Amino acid sequence: MEPDDSIELYRSRLGEDLSRLVEIGVNEVFFAVLRLLAQSQITVLDPALGAAIYARLRNAQPLAKETASYVLATDRCLVSTAGQGMLTGWYLPAAATAEPLVALAFADGMVAPVDLQMNSTARADLAAYGDRYTFTGRDGYVGAWRFSQAPTGSTQLMFLIPGEPSASGVIVNTEPASAATLAGQIVMSMLALEDTARRVRLRRGTLPAYLDIGAFEPVAAAPAQGETLVVLDHDLIDTDLRDVLRRIARLHPNGFALHLLRQSLTPIMQSAITAIGHEYDGAVRLVDVDLALATPREMPGRVVFARSSSIFQFDIAPLFAADAAGGIVLLHDPIGSVLGSRPDDAARFARDGLPFAVMMEGAAFFAQRDAIPHVFLTEESRIRLLTEMLMELGMLDVQRVDVYRYFMGKSGPFTQALIDGRDWHEYDAESRKLLTESLPS
């Protein structure tokens, strides 16, 4: 009988001595630990440990992408500024093995497992490699990952090759991409997957394992003092902006700050802002034009979020009332009114994507909004999720608006269609649904 040269790693040892195994473990042990990390058998939460892993890998000689034993290629490898990533490519081994190809993503001391779906896409174009490697015709892969925080430095992936227990892996650099570009590539890759379960798995790979609503810490609202910040998704044509701002200025003649959720300001929109400023004696102060809402250094007294289409159709006076306290959300929910359901039904709000407008005290809004993960394309989706959570906790005054039919705006960047025909709001709605489905029972 041949001697057994395998090394057994006990879970108690992994828990107690993981840092020592990373720092001084022999290569076979070190790379065995990395394979466990890549398969989500263990997790690295300490950035110092992640940095130690990456430091040791930097001193190791990476493997080539093509050898006599295998050939590995990546077609796209994208990571967004929020830390979501996806990749596509193909892999051909010289001989089939039971050991899987696995991968890890590294950035800023963070180590994230990559959920690789091997043999998931048809690649008939690789037939020419059939005389040297094991070719099946379905040798393409897709993969996804998510860092716990937005990376600030460079991001790399490392593939751990089967049959190489003591060697480093194949290193792949990532391409920075906007959230919309990443979503577009994910949708394109999903269309190449015939199995619906694989499509869902690819989407889930860029999302948190679950959304722990119970860990959300509500912030008690203080009396609103200071400027009102209006966060506006102008989903109507440019010429309508003047009328939208006029409706707000009439209710808030003392002036307000404006964050416009657009990529840039067109001349027509600039003229509208200037005109309302003259009409109402400097009522509008434009603070930013950006698809994302940054946390300001100086907190506003209150924050109001709405789409322009809602400003036109809702009675928004409660959001701007001088004596308004706490938080108020206006909902368009005619079916709920007929059925007699509670206005503050957070489950209905989330499930049906009800049109809404919301006002919250400024400091509380940003403290709570910043706790919402960066997993959506639109700022509205983060605010919608925050609104849902506060509705669930009974911390908002929920009012139904007396509007029978709601007309959705069709302009602006968030109405752009992805390759499958969905716009950004619809893509985010699916992300929210997947987060709900992954809640622990």
Side-chain angles (χ1 to χ4, degrees), residues 233-269:
D233 173 8
H234 186 60
D235 59 347
L236 305 175
I237 60 176
D238 291 1
T239 52
D240 285 337
L241 180 61
R242 183 170 182 173
D243 289 329
V244 171
L245 297 178
R246 181 180 286 115
R247 285 179 63 86
I248 299 172
R250 286 172 179 170
L251 295 169
H252 211 282
N254 294 331
F256 60 92
L258 175 66
H259 180 113
L260 198 60
L261 294 172
R262 284 291 186 103
Q263 292 152 318
S264 60
L265 200 63
T266 66
I268 293 175
M269 297 169 80

mmCIF file of all heavy atoms in Angstrom, residues 233-269:
data_model
loop_
_atom_site.group_PDB
_atom_site.id
_atom_site.type_symbol
_atom_site.label_atom_id
_atom_site.label_comp_id
_atom_site.label_asym_id
_atom_site.label_seq_id
_atom_site.Cartn_x
_atom_site.Cartn_y
_atom_site.Cartn_z
ATOM 1 N N ASP A 233 -35.288 62.998 -9.801
ATOM 2 C CA ASP A 233 -35.122 62.194 -11.013
ATOM 3 C C ASP A 233 -36.037 62.802 -12.065
ATOM 4 O O ASP A 233 -37.254 62.564 -12.054
ATOM 5 C CB ASP A 233 -35.501 60.734 -10.738
ATOM 6 C CG ASP A 233 -35.520 59.884 -12.010
ATOM 7 O OD1 ASP A 233 -35.088 60.383 -13.069
ATOM 8 O OD2 ASP A 233 -35.976 58.733 -11.950
ATOM 9 N N HIS A 234 -35.452 63.614 -12.946
ATOM 10 C CA HIS A 234 -36.260 64.285 -13.970
ATOM 11 C C HIS A 234 -36.508 63.309 -15.106
ATOM 12 O O HIS A 234 -35.707 63.170 -16.038
ATOM 13 C CB HIS A 234 -35.568 65.545 -14.459
ATOM 14 C CG HIS A 234 -36.421 66.344 -15.397
ATOM 15 N ND1 HIS A 234 -37.645 66.862 -15.032
ATOM 16 C CD2 HIS A 234 -36.249 66.692 -16.707
ATOM 17 C CE1 HIS A 234 -38.175 67.503 -16.055
ATOM 18 N NE2 HIS A 234 -37.361 67.408 -17.077
ATOM 19 N N ASP A 235 -37.660 62.619 -15.029
ATOM 20 C CA ASP A 235 -37.999 61.589 -16.015
ATOM 21 C C ASP A 235 -38.938 62.102 -17.098
ATOM 22 O O ASP A 235 -39.585 61.307 -17.792
ATOM 23 C CB ASP A 235 -38.614 60.370 -15.311
ATOM 24 C CG ASP A 235 -39.868 60.714 -14.517
ATOM 25 O OD1 ASP A 235 -40.130 61.914 -14.309
ATOM 26 O OD2 ASP A 235 -40.576 59.783 -14.098
ATOM 27 N N LEU A 236 -39.004 63.426 -17.241
ATOM 28 C CA LEU A 236 -39.804 64.053 -18.293
ATOM 29 C C LEU A 236 -38.874 64.762 -19.286
ATOM 30 O O LEU A 236 -37.658 64.769 -19.100
ATOM 31 C CB LEU A 236 -40.791 65.044 -17.671
ATOM 32 C CG LEU A 236 -41.721 64.477 -16.590
ATOM 33 C CD1 LEU A 236 -42.555 65.582 -15.976
ATOM 34 C CD2 LEU A 236 -42.610 63.373 -17.151
ATOM 35 N N ILE A 237 -39.439 65.356 -20.316
ATOM 36 C CA ILE A 237 -38.603 66.043 -21.298
ATOM 37 C C ILE A 237 -37.986 67.285 -20.663
ATOM 38 O O ILE A 237 -38.485 67.815 -19.657
ATOM 39 C CB ILE A 237 -39.412 66.415 -22.557
ATOM 40 C CG1 ILE A 237 -40.585 67.333 -22.201
ATOM 41 C CG2 ILE A 237 -39.899 65.152 -23.256
ATOM 42 C CD1 ILE A 237 -41.366 67.817 -23.409
ATOM 43 N N ASP A 238 -36.892 67.759 -21.241
ATOM 44 C CA ASP A 238 -36.127 68.860 -20.638
ATOM 45 C C ASP A 238 -36.971 70.102 -20.393
ATOM 46 O O ASP A 238 -36.827 70.785 -19.378
ATOM 47 C CB ASP A 238 -34.937 69.216 -21.540
ATOM 48 C CG ASP A 238 -33.886 68.116 -21.569
ATOM 49 O OD1 ASP A 238 -34.103 67.080 -20.906
ATOM 50 O OD2 ASP A 238 -32.861 68.289 -22.251
ATOM 51 N N THR A 239 -37.864 70.413 -21.325
ATOM 52 C CA THR A 239 -38.646 71.656 -21.205
ATOM 53 C C THR A 239 -39.623 71.619 -20.038
ATOM 54 O O THR A 239 -40.111 72.667 -19.605
ATOM 55 C CB THR A 239 -39.420 71.925 -22.507
ATOM 56 O OG1 THR A 239 -40.172 70.751 -22.861
ATOM 57 C CG2 THR A 239 -38.470 72.270 -23.639
ATOM 58 N N ASP A 240 -39.916 70.425 -19.513
ATOM 59 C CA ASP A 240 -40.842 70.318 -18.376
ATOM 60 C C ASP A 240 -40.172 70.645 -17.041
ATOM 61 O O ASP A 240 -40.865 70.796 -16.034
ATOM 62 C CB ASP A 240 -41.435 68.908 -18.292
ATOM 63 C CG ASP A 240 -42.486 68.650 -19.358
ATOM 64 O OD1 ASP A 240 -43.070 69.640 -19.851
ATOM 65 O OD2 ASP A 240 -42.716 67.477 -19.701
ATOM 66 N N LEU A 241 -38.854 70.727 -17.023
ATOM 67 C CA LEU A 241 -38.170 70.948 -15.745
ATOM 68 C C LEU A 241 -38.593 72.263 -15.107
ATOM 69 O O LEU A 241 -38.737 72.345 -13.878
ATOM 70 C CB LEU A 241 -36.647 70.920 -15.954
ATOM 71 C CG LEU A 241 -35.812 71.140 -14.688
ATOM 72 C CD1 LEU A 241 -36.087 70.051 -13.654
ATOM 73 C CD2 LEU A 241 -34.320 71.179 -15.029
ATOM 74 N N ARG A 242 -38.813 73.286 -15.914
ATOM 75 C CA ARG A 242 -39.188 74.585 -15.357
ATOM 76 C C ARG A 242 -40.499 74.488 -14.575
ATOM 77 O O ARG A 242 -40.611 75.028 -13.467
ATOM 78 C CB ARG A 242 -39.305 75.615 -16.479
ATOM 79 C CG ARG A 242 -39.625 77.029 -15.992
ATOM 80 C CD ARG A 242 -39.471 78.020 -17.126
ATOM 81 N NE ARG A 242 -39.733 79.388 -16.691
ATOM 82 C CZ ARG A 242 -39.550 80.455 -17.445
ATOM 83 N NH1 ARG A 242 -39.068 80.315 -18.678
ATOM 84 N NH2 ARG A 242 -39.813 81.672 -16.976
ATOM 85 N N ASP A 243 -41.487 73.783 -15.122
ATOM 86 C CA ASP A 243 -42.766 73.644 -14.433
ATOM 87 C C ASP A 243 -42.639 72.785 -13.177
ATOM 88 O O ASP A 243 -43.311 73.026 -12.170
ATOM 89 C CB ASP A 243 -43.816 73.048 -15.369
ATOM 90 C CG ASP A 243 -44.242 74.024 -16.463
ATOM 91 O OD1 ASP A 243 -44.217 75.239 -16.198
ATOM 92 O OD2 ASP A 243 -44.574 73.576 -17.568
ATOM 93 N N VAL A 244 -41.785 71.786 -13.231
ATOM 94 C CA VAL A 244 -41.553 70.946 -12.049
ATOM 95 C C VAL A 244 -40.966 71.784 -10.917
ATOM 96 O O VAL A 244 -41.440 71.733 -9.765
ATOM 97 C CB VAL A 244 -40.611 69.772 -12.394
ATOM 98 C CG1 VAL A 244 -40.191 69.025 -11.130
ATOM 99 C CG2 VAL A 244 -41.285 68.821 -13.371
ATOM 100 N N LEU A 245 -39.946 72.559 -11.223
ATOM 101 C CA LEU A 245 -39.315 73.399 -10.197
ATOM 102 C C LEU A 245 -40.266 74.482 -9.697
ATOM 103 O O LEU A 245 -40.220 74.863 -8.524
ATOM 104 C CB LEU A 245 -38.035 74.018 -10.750
ATOM 105 C CG LEU A 245 -36.936 73.034 -11.151
ATOM 106 C CD1 LEU A 245 -35.734 73.780 -11.724
ATOM 107 C CD2 LEU A 245 -36.509 72.169 -9.967
ATOM 108 N N ARG A 246 -41.116 74.970 -10.574
ATOM 109 C CA ARG A 246 -42.079 75.994 -10.174
ATOM 110 C C ARG A 246 -43.060 75.431 -9.125
ATOM 111 O O ARG A 246 -43.408 76.114 -8.158
ATOM 112 C CB ARG A 246 -42.839 76.520 -11.386
ATOM 113 C CG ARG A 246 -43.839 77.626 -11.021
ATOM 114 C CD ARG A 246 -44.589 78.129 -12.232
ATOM 115 N NE ARG A 246 -43.729 78.972 -13.085
ATOM 116 C CZ ARG A 246 -43.378 78.654 -14.317
ATOM 117 N NH1 ARG A 246 -43.786 77.515 -14.849
ATOM 118 N NH2 ARG A 246 -42.613 79.469 -15.029
ATOM 119 N N ARG A 247 -43.506 74.193 -9.325
ATOM 120 C CA ARG A 247 -44.424 73.579 -8.354
ATOM 121 C C ARG A 247 -43.763 73.474 -6.974
ATOM 122 O O ARG A 247 -44.422 73.646 -5.942
ATOM 123 C CB ARG A 247 -44.849 72.189 -8.841
ATOM 124 C CG ARG A 247 -45.853 72.208 -9.974
ATOM 125 C CD ARG A 247 -46.213 70.798 -10.414
ATOM 126 N NE ARG A 247 -46.857 70.039 -9.353
ATOM 127 C CZ ARG A 247 -48.160 70.060 -9.088
ATOM 128 N NH1 ARG A 247 -48.972 70.847 -9.797
ATOM 129 N NH2 ARG A 247 -48.661 69.326 -8.132
ATOM 130 N N ILE A 248 -42.458 73.179 -6.950
ATOM 131 C CA ILE A 248 -41.752 73.094 -5.673
ATOM 132 C C ILE A 248 -41.560 74.487 -5.082
ATOM 133 O O ILE A 248 -41.786 74.704 -3.884
ATOM 134 C CB ILE A 248 -40.396 72.395 -5.864
ATOM 135 C CG1 ILE A 248 -40.590 70.963 -6.384
ATOM 136 C CG2 ILE A 248 -39.622 72.368 -4.540
ATOM 137 C CD1 ILE A 248 -39.303 70.275 -6.776
ATOM 138 N N ALA A 249 -41.144 75.442 -5.899
ATOM 139 C CA ALA A 249 -40.847 76.798 -5.411
ATOM 140 C C ALA A 249 -42.084 77.468 -4.824
ATOM 141 O O ALA A 249 -41.980 78.240 -3.866
ATOM 142 C CB ALA A 249 -40.263 77.639 -6.545
ATOM 143 N N ARG A 250 -43.253 77.178 -5.374
ATOM 144 C CA ARG A 250 -44.481 77.757 -4.833
ATOM 145 C C ARG A 250 -44.728 77.288 -3.396
ATOM 146 O O ARG A 250 -45.272 78.038 -2.577
ATOM 147 C CB ARG A 250 -45.671 77.365 -5.704
ATOM 148 C CG ARG A 250 -45.738 78.100 -7.038
ATOM 149 C CD ARG A 250 -46.827 77.508 -7.904
ATOM 150 N NE ARG A 250 -46.935 78.207 -9.183
ATOM 151 C CZ ARG A 250 -47.664 77.792 -10.203
ATOM 152 N NH1 ARG A 250 -48.347 76.637 -10.082
ATOM 153 N NH2 ARG A 250 -47.722 78.470 -11.326
ATOM 154 N N LEU A 251 -44.358 76.040 -3.123
ATOM 155 C CA LEU A 251 -44.560 75.482 -1.786
ATOM 156 C C LEU A 251 -43.414 75.804 -0.844
ATOM 157 O O LEU A 251 -43.559 75.702 0.374
ATOM 158 C CB LEU A 251 -44.713 73.959 -1.879
ATOM 159 C CG LEU A 251 -45.942 73.453 -2.636
ATOM 160 C CD1 LEU A 251 -45.823 71.956 -2.873
ATOM 161 C CD2 LEU A 251 -47.206 73.766 -1.853
ATOM 162 N N HIS A 252 -42.270 76.172 -1.413
ATOM 163 C CA HIS A 252 -41.067 76.395 -0.609
ATOM 164 C C HIS A 252 -40.412 77.696 -1.065
ATOM 165 O O HIS A 252 -39.293 77.703 -1.613
ATOM 166 C CB HIS A 252 -40.117 75.216 -0.783
ATOM 167 C CG HIS A 252 -39.277 74.927 0.408
ATOM 168 N ND1 HIS A 252 -38.163 75.663 0.733
ATOM 169 C CD2 HIS A 252 -39.390 73.991 1.382
ATOM 170 C CE1 HIS A 252 -37.615 75.177 1.826
ATOM 171 N NE2 HIS A 252 -38.343 74.162 2.244
ATOM 172 N N PRO A 253 -41.041 78.831 -0.828
ATOM 173 C CA PRO A 253 -40.538 80.101 -1.366
ATOM 174 C C PRO A 253 -39.223 80.558 -0.764
ATOM 175 O O PRO A 253 -38.558 81.439 -1.329
ATOM 176 C CB PRO A 253 -41.673 81.079 -1.021
ATOM 177 C CG PRO A 253 -42.373 80.469 0.154
ATOM 178 C CD PRO A 253 -42.292 78.994 -0.065
ATOM 179 N N ASN A 254 -38.811 79.958 0.356
ATOM 180 C CA ASN A 254 -37.544 80.353 0.984
ATOM 181 C C ASN A 254 -36.325 79.765 0.267
ATOM 182 O O ASN A 254 -35.193 80.050 0.649
ATOM 183 C CB ASN A 254 -37.521 79.933 2.450
ATOM 184 C CG ASN A 254 -38.550 80.682 3.277
ATOM 185 O OD1 ASN A 254 -38.892 81.822 2.964
ATOM 186 N ND2 ASN A 254 -39.068 80.030 4.305
ATOM 187 N N GLY A 255 -36.568 78.954 -0.728
ATOM 188 C CA GLY A 255 -35.471 78.392 -1.510
ATOM 189 C C GLY A 255 -35.131 76.970 -1.119
ATOM 190 O O GLY A 255 -35.421 76.517 -0.005
ATOM 191 N N PHE A 256 -34.500 76.262 -2.038
ATOM 192 C CA PHE A 256 -34.111 74.869 -1.787
ATOM 193 C C PHE A 256 -32.895 74.530 -2.637
ATOM 194 O O PHE A 256 -32.618 75.167 -3.659
ATOM 195 C CB PHE A 256 -35.262 73.909 -2.095
ATOM 196 C CG PHE A 256 -35.752 73.957 -3.521
ATOM 197 C CD1 PHE A 256 -35.239 73.114 -4.490
ATOM 198 C CD2 PHE A 256 -36.742 74.869 -3.892
ATOM 199 C CE1 PHE A 256 -35.692 73.164 -5.797
ATOM 200 C CE2 PHE A 256 -37.207 74.932 -5.200
ATOM 201 C CZ PHE A 256 -36.685 74.073 -6.154
ATOM 202 N N ALA A 257 -32.157 73.530 -2.175
ATOM 203 C CA ALA A 257 -31.019 73.003 -2.928
ATOM 204 C C ALA A 257 -31.514 71.890 -3.846
ATOM 205 O O ALA A 257 -32.461 71.172 -3.508
ATOM 206 C CB ALA A 257 -29.944 72.489 -1.983
ATOM 207 N N LEU A 258 -30.873 71.738 -4.986
ATOM 208 C CA LEU A 258 -31.311 70.755 -5.977
ATOM 209 C C LEU A 258 -30.159 69.847 -6.384
ATOM 210 O O LEU A 258 -29.104 70.328 -6.805
ATOM 211 C CB LEU A 258 -31.861 71.464 -7.213
ATOM 212 C CG LEU A 258 -32.266 70.569 -8.394
ATOM 213 C CD1 LEU A 258 -33.452 69.677 -8.032
ATOM 214 C CD2 LEU A 258 -32.574 71.414 -9.634
ATOM 215 N N HIS A 259 -30.371 68.546 -6.236
ATOM 216 C CA HIS A 259 -29.474 67.544 -6.828
ATOM 217 C C HIS A 259 -30.258 66.890 -7.958
ATOM 218 O O HIS A 259 -31.265 66.226 -7.732
ATOM 219 C CB HIS A 259 -29.049 66.491 -5.805
ATOM 220 C CG HIS A 259 -28.134 65.450 -6.392
ATOM 221 N ND1 HIS A 259 -26.811 65.325 -6.017
ATOM 222 C CD2 HIS A 259 -28.333 64.486 -7.340
ATOM 223 C CE1 HIS A 259 -26.251 64.341 -6.699
ATOM 224 N NE2 HIS A 259 -27.159 63.827 -7.517
ATOM 225 N N LEU A 260 -29.766 67.061 -9.167
ATOM 226 C CA LEU A 260 -30.437 66.523 -10.346
ATOM 227 C C LEU A 260 -29.777 65.197 -10.725
ATOM 228 O O LEU A 260 -28.562 65.149 -10.973
ATOM 229 C CB LEU A 260 -30.339 67.519 -11.499
ATOM 230 C CG LEU A 260 -31.302 67.344 -12.661
ATOM 231 C CD1 LEU A 260 -32.754 67.449 -12.219
ATOM 232 C CD2 LEU A 260 -30.999 68.376 -13.741
ATOM 233 N N LEU A 261 -30.569 64.142 -10.742
ATOM 234 C CA LEU A 261 -30.040 62.819 -11.066
ATOM 235 C C LEU A 261 -29.933 62.666 -12.584
ATOM 236 O O LEU A 261 -30.712 61.964 -13.230
ATOM 237 C CB LEU A 261 -30.938 61.736 -10.455
ATOM 238 C CG LEU A 261 -30.963 61.681 -8.927
ATOM 239 C CD1 LEU A 261 -32.030 60.710 -8.436
ATOM 240 C CD2 LEU A 261 -29.588 61.294 -8.371
ATOM 241 N N ARG A 262 -28.946 63.323 -13.121
ATOM 242 C CA ARG A 262 -28.637 63.269 -14.548
ATOM 243 C C ARG A 262 -27.129 63.205 -14.718
ATOM 244 O O ARG A 262 -26.365 63.565 -13.818
ATOM 245 C CB ARG A 262 -29.184 64.497 -15.277
ATOM 246 C CG ARG A 262 -30.690 64.499 -15.530
ATOM 247 C CD ARG A 262 -31.099 63.454 -16.545
ATOM 248 N NE ARG A 262 -32.504 63.521 -16.898
ATOM 249 C CZ ARG A 262 -32.985 64.046 -18.016
ATOM 250 N NH1 ARG A 262 -32.152 64.601 -18.899
ATOM 251 N NH2 ARG A 262 -34.282 64.033 -18.276
ATOM 252 N N GLN A 263 -26.684 62.761 -15.892
ATOM 253 C CA GLN A 263 -25.249 62.715 -16.172
ATOM 254 C C GLN A 263 -24.700 64.096 -16.483
ATOM 255 O O GLN A 263 -23.530 64.381 -16.226
ATOM 256 C CB GLN A 263 -24.992 61.756 -17.346
ATOM 257 C CG GLN A 263 -25.273 60.298 -16.994
ATOM 258 C CD GLN A 263 -25.672 59.493 -18.210
ATOM 259 O OE1 GLN A 263 -26.447 59.941 -19.049
ATOM 260 N NE2 GLN A 263 -25.155 58.274 -18.305
ATOM 261 N N SER A 264 -25.522 64.951 -17.046
ATOM 262 C CA SER A 264 -25.089 66.304 -17.407
ATOM 263 C C SER A 264 -26.309 67.200 -17.504
ATOM 264 O O SER A 264 -27.456 66.729 -17.543
ATOM 265 C CB SER A 264 -24.317 66.300 -18.739
ATOM 266 O OG SER A 264 -25.133 65.810 -19.786
ATOM 267 N N LEU A 265 -26.041 68.500 -17.562
ATOM 268 C CA LEU A 265 -27.090 69.511 -17.622
ATOM 269 C C LEU A 265 -27.171 70.045 -19.050
ATOM 270 O O LEU A 265 -26.195 70.571 -19.578
ATOM 271 C CB LEU A 265 -26.766 70.639 -16.641
ATOM 272 C CG LEU A 265 -27.897 71.552 -16.187
ATOM 273 C CD1 LEU A 265 -28.949 70.766 -15.414
ATOM 274 C CD2 LEU A 265 -27.327 72.665 -15.312
ATOM 275 N N THR A 266 -28.341 69.912 -19.666
ATOM 276 C CA THR A 266 -28.510 70.432 -21.023
ATOM 277 C C THR A 266 -28.774 71.937 -20.963
ATOM 278 O O THR A 266 -29.188 72.463 -19.920
ATOM 279 C CB THR A 266 -29.689 69.742 -21.723
ATOM 280 O OG1 THR A 266 -30.906 70.094 -21.045
ATOM 281 C CG2 THR A 266 -29.519 68.230 -21.723
ATOM 282 N N PRO A 267 -28.552 72.656 -22.061
ATOM 283 C CA PRO A 267 -28.847 74.098 -22.057
ATOM 284 C C PRO A 267 -30.287 74.416 -21.677
ATOM 285 O O PRO A 267 -30.553 75.405 -20.984
ATOM 286 C CB PRO A 267 -28.538 74.513 -23.506
ATOM 287 C CG PRO A 267 -27.525 73.509 -23.977
ATOM 288 C CD PRO A 267 -27.906 72.223 -23.318
ATOM 289 N N ILE A 268 -31.230 73.600 -22.119
ATOM 290 C CA ILE A 268 -32.642 73.834 -21.784
ATOM 291 C C ILE A 268 -32.860 73.692 -20.283
ATOM 292 O O ILE A 268 -33.567 74.508 -19.658
ATOM 293 C CB ILE A 268 -33.547 72.860 -22.564
ATOM 294 C CG1 ILE A 268 -33.489 73.168 -24.066
ATOM 295 C CG2 ILE A 268 -34.980 72.934 -22.063
ATOM 296 C CD1 ILE A 268 -34.258 72.189 -24.923
ATOM 297 N N MET A 269 -32.251 72.691 -19.672
ATOM 298 C CA MET A 269 -32.415 72.488 -18.237
ATOM 299 C C MET A 269 -31.727 73.599 -17.449
ATOM 300 O O MET A 269 -32.248 74.063 -16.424
ATOM 301 C CB MET A 269 -31.861 71.118 -17.854
ATOM 302 C CG MET A 269 -32.608 69.961 -18.500
ATOM 303 S SD MET A 269 -31.774 68.375 -18.316
ATOM 304 C CE MET A 269 -32.250 67.944 -16.673
#
